[in-house]
Amino acid sequence: MGLCGSLNRPLVKSPSRSRRSDDVDPLTAVVNQLSQEVLQLKTSLAALEASQARLAGSQTMSVSFTVHFSKADVVGLGTDQILVFDVARNNIGNGYNTGTGFFTAPVAGSYVFFLGMQRHGDDESTFIASIVKGTTTIGVAEAGYSPFEHGSMLVTTHLERGDTVCVKASHGTTVYGGMSTVFSGFLLHQN
């Protein structure tokens, strides 16, 4: 017989055997492998989400402001009157309101506040101003005794988000405005 004769022969099927209990189903093997890969992907995703949450939590917001008066002379101040510094040199975080005179903490944390002022030469009394957190005085600055004297106060405090800080006149009626009397604050550490 030649080569052609063997091609004409019918193909013989190998005898089929019956399925045994220890046979591995090829589909089951593929499903098991894919299940392992899905589990590994879920673990990786959870680790990435945790890392992203840590990074988001560690990002601190920048908060700072420096404000002063637009007028050269601020006159007619009364006891417990809020000093409304109407010019913002900077107001990063938009915490200071030039219309009300209040700084409102945009985030919880430790803050530093500074008040520098110059007593007006025409005022016959010492000028005293208080830095007030909510309803509590946390610092007092005094510019007294002689005309044109400077006074200042630096104070640190913890604020919760939404807490307010302002400056109130405590004694005296007139201070120099412009850049002679300034109020500043910044976030030292976010909680």
Side-chain angles (χ1 to χ4, degrees), residues 1 9 40 51 65 80 89 100 116 119 137 144 160 168:
M1 268 181 149
R9 212 169 9 145
Q40 289 172 348
S51 176
F65 70 93
D80 289 331
R89 301 292 287 176
T100 65
R119 178 178 172 236
T137 298
E160 294 297 329
K168 289 186 178 182

Side-chain angles (χ1 to χ4, degrees), residues 65 67-70 81-88 91 94-104 165-167 183:
F65 70 93
V67 292
H68 63 84
F69 296 113
S70 60
Q81 181 176 347
I82 296 170
L83 301 183
V84 180
F85 298 90
D86 59 337
V87 176
N91 194 8
N94 296 316
Y96 187 83
N97 184 324
T98 56
T100 65
F102 281 96
F103 170 78
T104 303
V165 174
C166 67
V167 176
F183 179 42

Side-chain angles (χ1 to χ4, degrees), residues 56-158:
S58 69
Q59 292 177 345
T60 58
M61 179 177 190
S62 293
V63 180
S64 67
F65 70 93
T66 296
V67 292
H68 63 84
F69 296 113
S70 60
K71 297 179 182 177
D73 299 326
V74 181
V75 299
L77 297 170
T79 303
D80 289 331
Q81 181 176 347
I82 296 170
L83 301 183
V84 180
F85 298 90
D86 59 337
V87 176
R89 301 292 287 176
N90 77 326
N91 194 8
I92 298 169
N94 296 316
Y96 187 83
N97 184 324
T98 56
T100 65
F102 281 96
F103 170 78
T104 303
V107 294
S110 297
Y111 287 82
V112 177
F113 294 98
F114 171 79
L115 172 64
M117 58 190 188
Q118 183 178 8
R119 178 178 172 236
H120 198 281
D122 293 339
D123 195 348
E124 294 183 11
S125 65
T126 299
F127 188 80
I128 301 172
S130 302
I131 300 175
V132 180
K133 171 184 166 182
T135 59
T136 304
T137 298
I138 58 173
V140 177
E142 180 178 336
Y145 309 122
S146 62
F148 312 108
E149 187 173 317
H150 283 268
S152 62
M153 165 58 60
L154 178 77
V155 64
T156 61
T157 189
H158 177 79

Side-chain angles (χ1 to χ4, degrees), residues 28-41:
T28 302
V30 169
V31 168
N32 287 340
Q33 180 183 355
L34 290 175
S35 295
Q36 286 296 323
E37 289 176 13
V38 167
L39 183 60
Q40 289 172 348
L41 288 172

